[in-house]
Amino acid sequence: MLFSIALIIICGMTLGWLCKKVKLPSLIGMLLTGIVFGPHVLNLIDGSILAISADIRKIALIIILTRAGLGLDISGLKKIGRPAIMMCFVPASLELIGILLFAPRLLGLSMLESAVLGAVLAAVSPAVVVPRMVKLMEEGYGTKASIPQLILAGASVDDVYVIVLFTTFIGMLQGEGVSVMRFVNIPVSIVLGIIAGYLMGFLLSKFFEKVHMRDTAKILIVLSVSFILVAAEDALKTPITFSALIAIMFIGVSMQKFRNPVAKRLSVKYNKLWVGAEVFLFVLVGATVNVSYLGNVGIKALIVIILALIFRMLGVFFCLIKTELKSKERLFTMLAYTPKATVQAAIGGIPLSLGLACGDVVLTVAVLAIVLTAPLGAFMIDSTYKRFLEKNTLKC
């Protein structure tokens, strides 16, 4: 295991650095590291690490969501209003509709199987989007129009919405029927997640005010609380649940309000944590890629993905109607809302593990979507934000 960890860190960071030198996103190098050293090519990553890969990726996601919450400007987001709410649901819904229209014809899936595929593909990747939006906020690009905040908040809720839809469609495909409570749970879980996170952030702020300790110790406590929230959500078997991912982000938002100096210091610490977490996240996502699958699905799967992305971008365009954003800013928002990676890697293999007939197709298309959109989306964000967004000298 130790050799595999060293391999992941050294080779992932090295290939990431080389990609940066040729003006490509570093995550491309990390994905390539995972693909090459993963079980489907050289098989150099220890099986014990791959067995806990999902948990490691979840830890990385927790780190970046907390970091996002510590830097999220809620006051700027409130000014946006309607578009902020629409961005949470409309783009994903339109992408799902696009897949329902084209997947049955091109991939030979039933409507319900296409709905499962759509729910897997329709989520935007927080692992790609969140760190880049945090970087934009730190550098002051687009913050005056609250563009990074809009994308950041929308992407977080978008994932919750899509995952609940995925669970519902999987249940229907297994013959469980339609559950109204699952659809009711979507907005309820988001609201409960906001409340839980905000309350936990308040309690942590008061605790840190009374009990003096090093910032490193505070980081460990916040991380532990985040892990407990995720475990609690997984353990709940009730019809109504709460979104742990939303709660984790709002811990940071709440700490900003009640203990701002501490929140700023912790944000710097989380930036350092992300350096290592990013390597593990994308290398292990790359390790899930079975290269042999990519040749099986052919051009038809690629067409479905591209058409679905067009529907998604149209959804973003509809959300931004009647806003004051300029054409370049709208185009940037549309491009920034396309990358896939984390959610697809996490749930893309579930239909296959359940023995569903569409399992191979769903996993293959999910992998192809990651390989295509994660590096391309990251590249588009990194290469356009300085030209498409205005820089605010007073950073938010």
Side-chain angles (χ1 to χ4, degrees):
M1 181 187 282
L2 293 179
F3 174 74
S4 295
I5 292 173
L7 204 62
I8 289 170
I9 294 172
I10 294 172
C11 295
M13 292 184 72
T14 301
L15 279 181
W17 177 79
L18 288 173
C19 284
K20 267 191 173 180
K21 294 296 285 184
V22 295
K23 307 298 181 183
L24 290 173
S26 59
L27 72 88
I28 295 178
M30 297 170 196
L31 282 171
L32 285 174
T33 302
I35 292 171
V36 172
F37 293 148
H40 305 296
V41 182
L42 296 181
N43 195 24
L44 294 178
I45 298 178
D46 194 283
S48 56
I49 293 179
L50 295 174
I52 59 170
S53 172
D55 292 319
I56 295 174
R57 296 199 305 266
K58 191 171 284 187
I59 290 171
L61 187 57
I62 286 169
I63 289 171
I64 195 56
L65 284 174
T66 310
R67 178 189 174 203
L70 290 167
L72 185 61
D73 179 20
I74 291 294
S75 61
L77 198 59
K78 287 178 181 177
K79 296 175 184 176
I80 303 172
R82 173 191 56 84
I85 297 172
M86 291 179 67
M87 286 283 283
C88 300
F89 309 102
V90 174
S93 297
L94 277 187
E95 184 171 4
L96 179 57
I97 290 170
I99 292 170
L100 286 173
L101 287 174
F102 298 109
R105 299 178 185 179
L106 293 173
L107 300 177
L109 301 177
S110 68
M111 288 299 288
L112 194 50
E113 288 172 338
S114 298
V116 170
L117 175 62
V120 171
L121 293 187
V124 70
S125 171
V128 178
V129 171
V130 171
R132 280 163 177 77
M133 294 308 108
V134 172
K135 179 184 176 184
L136 263 60
M137 290 191 292
E138 289 172 350
E139 294 182 10
Y141 281 96
T143 52
K144 190 174 182 180
S146 298
I147 293 170
Q149 296 94 318
L150 173 66
I151 296 170
L152 189 61
S156 302
V157 179
D158 171 284
D159 287 349
V160 177
Y161 170 61
V162 167
I163 289 170
V164 174
L165 286 181
F166 172 77
T167 306
T168 302
F169 294 144
I170 283 288
M172 292 168 65
L173 200 56
Q174 290 181 304
E176 295 177 10
V178 181
S179 172
V180 176
M181 287 304 297
R182 282 178 176 165
F183 287 101
V184 171
N185 188 46
I186 295 173
V188 173
S189 66
I190 291 168
V191 172
L192 290 178
I194 292 172
I195 294 171
Y198 202 78
L199 178 61
M200 192 60 66
F202 170 76
L203 293 175
L204 286 171
S205 298
K206 293 302 177 184
F207 176 74
F208 293 149
E209 185 179 348
K210 300 291 183 184
V211 181
H212 298 285
M213 61 182 73
R214 296 178 62 180
D215 287 339
T216 303
K218 292 172 184 173
I219 289 286
L220 292 175
I221 291 172
V222 174
L223 277 175
S224 298
V225 169
S226 300
F227 296 161
I228 291 170
L229 286 171
V230 172
E233 183 190 18
D234 292 341
L236 280 177
K237 303 300 180 184
T238 55
I240 298 297
T241 59
F242 73 101
S243 169
L245 297 182
I246 297 292
I248 288 165
M249 190 166 71
F250 270 82
I251 287 175
V253 172
S254 180
M255 290 186 69
Q256 265 195 90
K257 179 175 177 61
F258 297 108
R259 199 74 175 152
N260 190 256
V262 172
K264 287 181 178 178
R265 294 201 307 271
L266 294 189
S267 180
V268 174
K269 293 278 187 180
Y270 268 97
N271 288 348
K272 295 175 181 178
L273 272 179
W274 175 244
V275 172
E278 181 184 33
V279 176
F280 276 93
L281 177 61
F282 286 109
V283 171
L284 291 175
V285 166
T288 67
V289 176
N290 189 337
V291 179
S292 63
Y293 281 153
L294 301 181
N296 295 335
V297 293
I299 194 68
K300 291 181 179 180
L302 187 62
I303 292 171
V304 169
I305 293 169
I306 293 171
L307 291 173
L309 287 176
I310 292 171
F311 271 71
R312 182 177 191 85
M313 292 173 74
L314 283 173
V316 177
F317 177 80
F318 291 144
C319 293
L320 301 179
I321 291 174
K322 294 185 178 179
T323 63
E324 296 181 359
L325 298 186
K326 299 174 182 176
S327 298
K328 286 185 177 180
E329 292 171 331
R330 295 185 189 207
L331 179 58
F332 174 83
T333 307
M334 292 163 68
L335 293 171
Y337 227 52
T338 58
K340 319 285 183 184
T342 323
V343 176
Q344 288 71 31
I347 66 176
I350 291 177
L352 182 61
S353 67
L354 294 174
L356 299 177
C358 63
D360 276 322
V361 174
V362 171
L363 178 58
T364 303
V365 179
V367 166
L368 187 59
I370 293 171
V371 174
L372 176 68
T373 66
L376 186 59
F379 176 75
M380 293 304 295
I381 294 170
D382 293 345
S383 62
T384 62
Y385 78 92
K386 289 185 178 179
R387 291 183 288 118
F388 287 4
L389 305 180
E390 293 181 5
K391 184 170 184 177
N392 184 11
T393 51
L394 298 173
K395 299 176 187 177
C396 295

